[in-house]
Amino acid sequence: MNALITADSLSVAFDGDEVLHDVSLALRPGSCLGIVGESGSGKSVTARSLLGLNGERAEVRADRLEATGTDLLRATDAQLRALRGRRIGYVLQDALVSLDPLRRVGAEIAEPLRVHGVPRRAREGRVHELLAAAGVPEPELRARQLPSELSGGLRQRALIAAALALDPDVLIADEPTTALDVTVQAQILSLLEANLAAGRAIILISHDLAVVERLADEVLVMKDGRVVEQGPTSQVLSRPADPYTRRLLAAVPSARSRGSRLSDAPPLELSARDRELLGARRAGAEPAADGAPAAKAPVLKVEHVSKRFRGPDGRERTVVDDVSFALAPGETLGIVGESGSGKSTTARIALALAEPSAGRVLLDGEAWSGLRERRRRYRRRRISVVPQDPLGSFDPRWDVGRTIADAIPAEVGGSSRSEARSHRVSELLEAVGLTAAHARRHPLTLSGGQRQRVAIARALATSPEILVLDEPVSALDVSIQAQVLDLLGDLQKALGTAHLFISHDLGVVHHVSDRVLVMQAGRVVEQGTADEVFFRPRHDYTRELVAALPHPTLQETA
Amino acid sequence: MTALATAPETAAPAAGSRPRTRRTRPATALRSVSFWLAAVVVALVLLAAIAPGLLAPQDPLEISLGESFDAPSAAHVFGTDQSGRDVFSRVVHGAGQSLAIGLGATAIGLVGAIALGLLGGLGGRLADASVTRVIEVLYAFPGILLALILIAVYGSSALTQMVAVGVATMPGYARMVRGQVLAVKGSLYVESARALGHSPARILTRTILPNAFRPLTVLVTLGVGQAIVWAAALGFLGMGVQPPTAEWGAMLNAGRTYIQQAWWMDFFPGITIVVFTLSLTVLGRHLQRAADSGASR
Amino acid sequence: GCGTADPSASLPAGTKEGGDLVYATDREPTCLDPHNSGDMPQTYIARQYLDSLVSMKADGTVVPWLAQSWHVSKDGRTYDFDLKKGVEFTDGEPLDADAVVANFEQIMDPDTQSSTDLLYLSPYFEKATAVSEHTVRVTLKRSYSPLLTVLSQAFFGIESPKAMARGLEANCAAPVGTGPFKVAEWKRNQEVVLVRNDDYDSAPADAKHQGPAYLEKVTWRFLKDNTARFGALQSGKAQAIFNLPPESVPAASADSRIDTDDFVHSGVPFALDFNTDSPQLSDVRVRRAIVHAADAPGIVESAYGGVFPYEGNALSSGTPDYDENYHEPFPYDPDKAAALLDEAGWTGRDADGYRTKDGKTLTLRLPYNSDPGETPPADLTIFQNFQAMEKRAGIKVELQPKDAASMTAIKQDPTGYDVKGGYWNSPTPGVMYIKFSQETLDIDNGQNVARDFDDELDRTLVQAAGTTDPEKQQQLYSKAQGILTSQAWHLPLYPVQTRLATRSDQVRDIWIEPSEGEPVLHDAYLIRDGA
Amino acid sequence: MTAETAIAPSGPRPALLARLRASLGGRIALRILSALVLLWAVATIVFFLQHLVPGDPALAILGGASANPPPETVAAVRAQYGFDQPLLAQYADFLGGLVRGDLGSSYTMKEPVARIIAEQIVPTLQLTGASLAIAWAIAIGSTLLTAARPGLAARIGSGLEVVLAALPHFWLGVVLLVVFAVTLHWLPVVDDGPAGLVLPALTLGVPLGGFLAQVTRDEFDAASRQPFVLSALSRGTRPRDVRWRHVLRHAALPGIALSGWGLGSLISGAVVVEVIFSRQGIGQVLVTAVTSQDLPLVIGVTFVVALVYVIANILTDLAAVAVDPRLRTSIGGAS
Ligand SMILES: Nc1ncnc2c1ncn2[C@@H]1O[C@H](COP(=O)(O)OP(=O)(O)OP(=O)(O)O)[C@@H](O)[C@H]1O
Ligand SMILES: Nc1ncnc2c1ncn2[C@@H]1O[C@H](COP(=O)(O)OP(=O)(O)OP(=O)(O)O)[C@@H](O)[C@H]1O
Ligand SMILES: [Mg+2]
Ligand SMILES: [Mg+2]
C-alpha cells in the first residue's frame, strides 16, 4: 500500500540553525506511527513539517516530503490550506491553551468546517455530533461554553473533535495525554484507539513510552533532531538496538525498578565528613531497610488534619479532609492523587506554611502546627522542601551561590559572603553532583535537572531530618528524572532523611516509596506499603488508577 | 499627559505575567544606535542642568529690546523672544528648573506611592482594602485635574507645580508598588525563605523589598520624563513657574501668544521636551529589557 | 469668499435687511448690566441693548439720544433732560422721567455694587427727580462740566425699572433697555445671543440711520485665545472681531478682506503706578530715577510690536485738552537715573548688584493678576522688560503673580504693592481727579493707586470741572498734566487701544463710538453676493 | 475536575455579599455601589481641600477687575454662601446639594455650577469620544499592519508608536494648529462643527493611539505566539483570518481595559487642547475656574469628571466582558 505520508531526509533549520537532521518516515493507511524522544528532540518540528506549519523563519529541506498526495515542498499556500484540517487533522501539544480562550468551544470546532466551506446551518449539528463522538457528555452545553470552563480532559477531546471535523485521513496527535491525570489519559487513549480501529492513520507523539506502546504499530525514537531507532513497536521496546533507547527504557521508574538505579550515572559517594556536614544526625543511621520502616518514633505526625478555603464566590470548600499519617525516620512516604486532590496543600501543612483548619501536626513529637511563627522558626531547619518549580522558588536576583548560602544556618560563618559559607556552598553543590563553579551561575542559565539539584542542595543546607518533595521530578524528562531520583535515593541512604514524596505519577511513587497514601478530593482513600497499594488495591479509586496505567508491561509483578 | 508610565497596565507588571520575549536579534544594531542617541541627549540635558553656562551663549534673562522676534539664525540658533532674549540660552537654562521639577515630582510621587503601596502590600487585609480604595479615588481625578485642584488651592509656583505633579502621578506608582509587593509576597521564593526559617524582618529587607522595587528603577526613568511633560503642561497653562524665569513650561506658555509670528518660541522648548522624554523612554526601555533578560525570567 | 459659510449668502441681494452677525471678542463680562461693577466688556456689549441719555461725537460735542434736549443751570448744578416721547423698553415699559430716576437710584444703591458709575457720580451727584412725565432733573452737589460726556457712556445706559426690580442676579443675566437689540440668551463661556428690537426707533442723533437695526441677530462670541479669535475672522466664522491681537496686526493688514479700525481710548494710559506709601517710593527722586531708567518707548515697542504707540503723558492723546508737551517727560537716561539714586542715598550694592541703602536692597514688589484674561501676555512682557531695565539701574523688581482675590485684597491694602499696572478709560480729562485726588484717597476705594495727592492739582481739577469755558478748561487741564508729570507718581506707557477688525467682504458699517470705544452694531449690515 | 464534590455550605456572615456576587445583576449592583462610595470620597476630598484655600472666598466672589466691595457687601456674601456657618454644617449642606444634583453656584459666573457643566460637558465628551476613536484606529491599524510581521515593518511601526506616545498635547496641538490651520488653511482654526473637531481630536488621539498601539502590539505579538494560533492555522484558516478573528481580540483586551483610564487621561488632555484650540468644554471651564479661584466650579468639574471616569470604567468593564467572556465573573470582584 502507498504511504499516506512520506518524508525522506527531512531537515529543518531555524535562522540557519538546523534542529532536524535527515529524518525519514512513512505512515501507512490505518496504522499508527509513534514518535518518542526527550524534550527538544524534534518531535513537534517533525509533525509541523508535515503540515507546512513551521513558520516563515524555518527552512525545510527534504529529498521528498509528501502528505496525502500533496508535495509539500512545492505546494502553494492555498494547497497547504486545503490539506490542513481536511486531509490531516492536527492536535497540538498544549491542549490547555490550544483553544482560543475568547471563543466558545463550538465556534472553535466549527472553524475547520467554516474554512472548508461547510454551510453555516449544517455546522451546529455537526459540532454536536463531533463532540459526542469524542466522548464529550452534554455536547450542546459544552459547545456553548468557553475553553476555560472545561476540564483539561474535555478540552483535549474538543481539540480532537476539531481535528476530526472533516474526517481527515490522518490524525497527528502531539502529546495528547501530557498534563492529564491517569484516568483521563486512559480515556483519551481509548478515543484514539477507536479512531485507529475505524481505519484512520495516526501519528502519535509522546515522550511517554508506555503511551506509545499501547497504540503504535511502529515507533520512531528521536534524539537531538535525529532518528536513532525505528521499527515495529514490540521490537523497539523489548529489544532496543540503540543504547539511547535502552537508556530511555531503563529510566522509566516503576514497580519493577524499585531498589535499582534508573540512570547509568555512578552512585553518589559521600565521605564521612560530607555525611557529617549534611547532618546524618544519628551516628551510623541505618538506611531504612526495604519494606521495614523502623518502629522508631515518627519524626512527623499528621493527625486528622483538614483545610478549608473560601472561594471567590464566598463559599467554603474543604480541600484537605481529615488526613492522618506518620512519617518515620529514614522512611519515604509517597502521596499520589489526581490534580486538585489536596496533595500540595497537605505538604504545605506539613511544612507549617499553612495552618490546618482542624487537626494538628507534630514534629519530633512536639507541637508543630498552631504555634506562633516565632516559636517555630528555630525548628524549621529540620524540615526542608524541594519544590516542583525550583526556578520560581529562587530569588530572581541571586545567583546559585547566594541562593544556597541564604539557606545555610547562621552558625556557619557570619555574613553570607564569608569564606566558610562559600566553602559550604561548594560542598553542597558537589554533594548533589554539581561543581563549585556553578555557584556563580544564575539559575536562569541552568537546565531543568541542574536547577532541581540546586534546589536539593538548598534543602540539604540546613541538615534536615525531613525532606518534603512536592512533584520534584514531574517537570523533568525521563532520563533527567532518573538521575534526580537516583540522587535523592543516594542521599537518603547516606543521610537517613525521611522523605514525604508527592507525585501524580504512580510509577515514580511506586519506585521511591516505602509506604503510599492515595488521596482523592482531599481525603485519604487508601494507605499502606507501596506493593500493597499498587498490587492489591482495596479502594475502587485506587483500582481505577492502577487500571488506567497505559503500559501493560509496567504493571507486571516483579 | 501623554499616556506614559502610570497607565494601570504598565503599573502592574506583576511577576506572574507571561514572559514577553521579543525577537532581539535583527534589531540589536538599531537598538544600540537608538540607545546611544538617547544617552547623548540625556547627557546633554544633564550638563545643561548642572552647568548651563557651558552650553548657553547668553544670559537667559537679559533683554535686548532691539532684537525681539529674531528668527533662528547663526547668532540665535533658536531665535529670540518678544524681549529679544535668546531662546536657546533660555532652553539651556530651563533644563535645570524643568529637571528639578521633574525629579522632585517623581520623588514626591514615589515616596507617597511607596508608603501607600507598602501599607497595602504588607499591611493586613483592612489596610490593603483601604489603600486600594485610596488609590482608586486618586485615579478618579485624572492627572492634571488633581494637579489643577492643588494649584487652585495653593496658588501657582514651582513648588506647587512639583507637588501637584508628584501627587498626580502617585496613584500609578502606588498601584504598581502594591501589586509588586503582593506578587513578590505571594511568590514561591518568599515561601521558600519562610520555610528556611528566616525572620520576617530578614525576609522583608532581603527578599521582598529588593524584588518589589526592582522594576521601580526602570519606571523612574520613564516617570521623570512623564513628570516633566506634566509639569510643562501646567506651565503651558500658565500655572507653573512664572515669567521671566527660564523654564520649559513657562516658555511654552509665553510662546503660545506669538505662535503665528514667532513659531520658534514654542517649537524649540517643545521639541526639547519631546526629544528629552523620548530619550528617557528609550533608555528606560533598554534598562527594562536588560533587567528582564538578566535577572527575572 | 474662501469657501466658508457666508452668513448673508442666502439673503436676497440689494437689501441691507436681515442676517446674523458673529462678533467675537476676548473678554466675557461678569454681568450684562453695566451699572453693576463697570468693567470694559460690560460697556461694549451694553451699547447694543441700552440707550443712553446723550451721545458723544468724535470732536467731543454731545448730541441728543434718549434726551431730545437738555438745559443746564447757570451754576452748572442743575441739568434738565427732556426725554424722547413714545419710547418703550423691550419689556413694554414706557420710557419716562420716573424710569430715568430709577436708573440713577439703582446706580447709587450699594446693592447694585456699582463701581465705575459711582466713581464718576458720587463726588457730585445729589439727586434725580421727575419734573414732569418726560422731564428729568439731575441736581449736583457742585458743578461738574464733564457730566454730559460721562453720561454718554454705555455704563450709564438706561434700563427698564421693572427689569431692574427683579434683583441683581436676573438683571445681570438679561438687562432690559430700549436699545436696538435685546438679550435673548447668555451661554456662559461661549456667547450672548442678541436679537433685533423690531420696534426700535430711538437711535442717537449721530447714528447712520434711524429705525430698527438691519441685522436680525448678533452672536456675541467670546474667544479668549488670540490665535483662535483672529483665526475665526480669517476663516469667516466671525465677521468682526474686537481687540485684534497686536501680534496679528501684520497678518491682518496683509489680508485685503480684513479692515481694521483703531480706536485710541481717551483717559489715563496704561501706566505703572508707584505707591508713595512705600518708604523707598516716597522720595520723588527715586520715582524719577525709575522712570529715567526704563526705556519706556522700547518696552512698549517690544511688547506691542509697534502696534500700540508709546504715551508718556498722564492723559492719552485722544483725550480732550491733551497737552503734547508732556508726551515724553522723562526720556530714557540711565546716567540721570543713577545720579538721582545716588542723590537719594541708594549708593550701596548687594551681592547681586542691586542698590542698597542702610543695608536694605532697593526692591519693588509688582503684583499682577495671573489670569491671562486680566493681564494680557503683552502686558506681562511689559512687566518683564521693566524688570530687566530696572535691574540695569540696580533696582530689583519682583514680579508677583496673584489670583483675583489677592488682587482685590491688595487694592484695599496698600501695603501689598509698590508698583502696580493699570489704566482708566474715560472720555474726559476729569479722570485725573478720579485717580489722583485727595477725595479718592480719602474714600480709600483703591483708585488712587499712587496714594498721594497734591493740593494744587486738586484745586486745578475742581476748577476745571466747575467751568464751562473751553479755553479756561484747556489751560487748567494743561496745568494739571504738568503737576502730575513733576510728581512722577507713575510711569505711563501706552494708551489703551481698541482694534476692531472686520471682514470687509461680508459686513459694513460697524463703527466705534468715541466715549468708551464701544462698537456700534445698529448700523451694521451684511453684504449680499452680487450686491 | 472532581473538586466540585468538596463544596461546603457557606456560613451566614458573607451570605448577602456572596448572594450578590453570585449573579451578574448583583455584581453590577455591587460595582455601582462601590462607584457611589468612590464619588462620595472624591466629593469629600475636594470639599475639604476647598477649605484649605488661603484668603477669603467672599473676596474671590466679589473679585473682578474693578471690584471694590465695601465690608457690608462682603458680609452679605458670606451669609449668602454660608461661609459663616460651621464647617460640618457646610459639609452637610454640600452633600445634601450633591444628592439633589445641586453643585452650588459659580462665584464668577453667578450661575448654577450644574448648569454650566451640563452645557460644557457635551463638547468635551464629543472631543474625547472622537479622540478615543482616533486612538483606537491608530492602535488597531498599526497593529494589524505591522505587528508580528517579519522585517522592517514591525520595527518602523513600533518605533513610530513610541514617538507618537511621547508627543505632549501642548506641543502637538500648537504644531498642528500652526501647520494645518494657520499656514496651510486646510482646516479652520475654530469651528463648532465637525471640521473644527479634527485638529483637537488628532492632538488628543494621536499620543493615546501611540500608547494603545504599543500595548496592543505587545499583546498581539504575545497572542500570535500562543498555541491556539497554530491550532487555527492547522485547520486551514487563512493567516489573515487568524489575525482578525483570533489574535486581534486578544490584542484589544488590554487596550479596552485601559480605555477607561484612557478617557480620564483624555479629559486631562482636553484641558490643554481646549485652551489651544479655544474650544468650548469642561477643560476651558476648569482652567478659568482655577485661575479665578472659582472653587464651586472647580469642585463641580472635578466631581463630574470623576463621575465620567467611573461610568467610563464601568463601560470598559462591560466592553471587556463582551470581548472576553471569561471576565464575566470578575465584575465587581474588586469590591
Ligand atoms: N520556531 C522555532 N524557532 C526556533 N527553534 C525552534 C522552533 N521550533 C522548535 N525549535 C527548536 O527545535 C528543537 C526541537 O523542538 P521540538 O518542539 O520539535 O521538540 P519536541 O521534541 O517536540 O520537544 P517537547 O517534548 O518539549 O515538545 C528545539 O531545540 C527547539 O528549540
Ligand atoms: N490558597 C488557596 N486558596 C483557595 N483554594 C486553594 C488554595 N490553595 C489550594 N487551593 C485549592 O485546593 C485544591 C487542592 O489544591 P492542591 O494544590 O493541594 O492540589 P494538588 O493535589 O497539589 O494538585 P496538583 O496535582 O494540580 O498540584 C485545589 O482545588 C485548589 O484550587
Ligand atoms: Mg513537542
Ligand atoms: Mg500540587
Side-chain angles (χ1 to χ4, degrees), chain D residues 44 54 140 142 146 177 184-185 187 192 210 225 246-247 298 317:
Chain D
T44 305
I140 290 183
S142 166
T146 68
L177 183 76
L184 294 175
H185 293 294
L187 287 159
D192 291 337
R225 279 192 299 269
H246 291 270
V247 186
V298 173
D317 279 4

Side-chain angles (χ1 to χ4, degrees), chain B residues 69 82 236 250-263 265-266, chain C residues 224-228 245-248 303-304 372 375-381, chain D residues 174:
Chain B
F69 299 126
Q82 76 276 21
F236 176 80
M251 292 179 70
L252 284 168
N253 180 40
R256 191 157 62 87
T257 314
Y258 305 102
I259 194 67
Q260 299 200 45
Q261 185 182 358
W263 53 267
M265 282 177 64
D266 241 9
Chain C
K224 206 160 151 181
D225 188 84
N226 286 343
T227 313
E247 55 275 11
S248 302
Y304 280 99
T375 306
D379 283 357
L380 195 53
T381 301
Chain D
V174 163

Side-chain angles (χ1 to χ4, degrees), chain A residues 14 52-59:
Chain A
F14 290 102
L53 275 177
N54 267 323
E56 297 171 34
R57 285 163 49 233
E59 191 190 324

Side-chain angles (χ1 to χ4, degrees), chain A residues 14 19 38-45 48 54 57 93 175:
Chain A
F14 290 102
V19 298
E38 287 182 25
S39 184
S41 57
K43 306 185 294 289
S44 299
V45 171
R48 289 202 295 269
N54 267 323
R57 285 163 49 233
Q93 181 165 6
E175 308 270 14

